[in-house]
Amino acid sequence: MRTDMMIPGETHGGGAVRSQTEQILQVRDLVVSFDGFRAIDGLSLGVNRNELRVIIGPNGAGKTTFLDILCGKTRPSSGQIIFTGSELTKVSEYKIVRLGVGRKFQTPSVYEDLSVMENFEISIPGTYGIAKSLFFRRNGRVKERIENIAEQVFLKDSLNRKAGLLSHGEKQWLEIGMLLTQDPALVLLDEPVAGMSTHEREKTGELLKRISGSKSIIVIEHDMDFVKQIADKVTVLHQGRLLCEGSACEVQSDARVIDVYIGH
């Protein structure tokens, strides 16, 4: 097997369980300006290895912009992003993925005419895209890896179903599973439970807590009940700045957070 088609989890460092006190991400004095408007304004924060961090804040606080910067979609005006020792602010998107950062957007993006199994196969490093997948050959190790991930995301019994037949929540799980096939060390999720049923939200919370045993996760979310279910730590953004950080209960009772976010 070619080195660019190694099965995730076998050689990549992202899947190794490390001390949670080790910081995997440091953001220092980050600034992002759009035509003079500072969407991110001097933001500094750190995320520990194997931490499940939730970012909340009112609309326009800079939450999605922050994820865009971490994955290279948006370039900061100034500041630093240090991820596992690498500075990311000038690194291209595909190289950031290779370094171990995986991003899932709010709307599911799956190949609906392909089966769940085929969606997983396409997401394996070295097989990105339908053209490359034509030359991909499934072997026992690949099949076992996909089945393990499918079981994690509650889709093991749906591997042969067309992705387009899945419910909205199942498509969200499929896309999370597709991220896991790449074995990122840091997973970025933008409102992963939007549009889900109560039961699906509970299962998604269980899934994210389980994943965070071996990966760091940053989640943007508005549902405070879900935030309390999953968060190790909550960061509150307001007008591109860090307003406060703490446990879900701590930030929910903070007068500043109530004033700018929860109270409205």
Side-chain angles (χ1 to χ4, degrees), residues 56-67:
I56 66 172
N59 292 334
K63 304 182 298 297
T64 297
T65 300
F66 178 58
L67 293 195

Side-chain angles (χ1 to χ4, degrees), residues 21-254:
T21 59
E22 177 189 352
Q23 283 201 333
I24 192 172
L25 178 72
Q26 299 96 36
V27 176
R28 302 168 182 166
D29 300 318
L30 201 65
V31 174
V32 179
S33 296
F34 300 113
D35 297 326
F37 169 72
R38 287 196 169 193
I40 300 291
D41 189 6
L43 179 63
S44 297
L45 59 84
V47 176
N48 291 335
R49 192 174 292 275
N50 302 346
E51 177 185 346
L52 207 170
R53 176 70 62 90
V54 179
I55 298 178
I56 66 172
N59 292 334
K63 304 182 298 297
T64 297
T65 300
F66 178 58
L67 293 195
D68 288 345
I69 298 164
L70 293 183
C71 71
K73 183 179 178 182
T74 297
R75 297 297 182 192
S77 306
S78 62
Q80 287 185 310
I81 301 171
I82 310 298
F83 171 68
T84 61
S86 297
E87 219 289 338
L88 298 186
T89 54
K90 292 181 173 61
V91 178
S92 61
E93 289 185 66
Y94 80 93
K95 288 184 179 179
I96 290 176
V97 171
R98 290 181 178 178
L99 286 170
V101 178
R103 167 85 179 271
K104 182 197 173 306
F105 293 85
Q106 182 176 350
T107 303
S109 178
V110 300
Y111 295 96
E112 296 201 349
D113 289 334
L114 299 181
S115 69
V116 171
M117 171 69 83
E118 290 166 335
N119 271 271
F120 282 134
E121 289 178 342
I122 285 175
S123 63
I124 291 176
T127 65
Y128 297 125
I130 295 176
K132 284 190 176 182
S133 72
L134 295 175
F135 301 97
F136 176 73
R137 293 295 178 265
R138 185 188 306 168
N139 59 33
R141 293 162 63 203
V142 171
K143 188 172 183 292
E144 181 181 8
R145 172 67 175 164
I146 290 175
E147 288 177 348
N148 288 338
I149 291 173
E151 186 169 19
Q152 285 187 59
V153 298
F154 318 116
L155 293 175
K156 189 171 182 179
D157 294 332
S158 300
L159 283 170
N160 295 320
R161 291 179 65 195
K162 288 288 184 69
L165 299 178
L166 300 177
S167 70
H168 171 75
E170 289 171 329
K171 289 177 183 176
Q172 298 278 36
W173 295 337
L174 173 56
E175 193 164 16
I176 291 172
M178 291 166 70
L179 272 185
L180 295 182
T181 66
Q182 301 167 31
D183 196 27
L186 176 63
V187 176
L188 311 176
L189 303 175
D190 196 345
E191 297 189 45
V193 296
M196 286 189 179
S197 67
T198 300
H199 178 62
E200 288 174 333
R201 289 180 182 216
E202 291 175 355
K203 293 185 71 173
T204 303
E206 296 170 7
L207 169 63
L208 298 185
K209 292 294 286 186
R210 188 165 62 248
I211 294 171
S212 68
S214 60
K215 302 180 185 302
S216 301
I217 306 175
I218 297 177
V219 178
I220 291 176
E221 191 48 68
H222 290 288
D223 185 328
M224 287 305 299
D225 289 334
F226 184 69
V227 171
K228 287 188 286 186
Q229 178 189 351
I230 67 170
D232 294 327
K233 189 173 184 179
V234 179
T235 295
V236 185
L237 298 186
H238 178 54
Q239 296 180 343
R241 302 185 185 96
L242 193 153
L243 183 65
C244 71
E245 290 185 323
S247 69
C249 290
E250 287 170 342
V251 301
Q252 197 169 21
S253 60
D254 189 294

Side-chain angles (χ1 to χ4, degrees), residues 8-19:
E10 296 183 346
T11 60
H12 193 285
V17 177
R18 308 265 183 106
S19 169

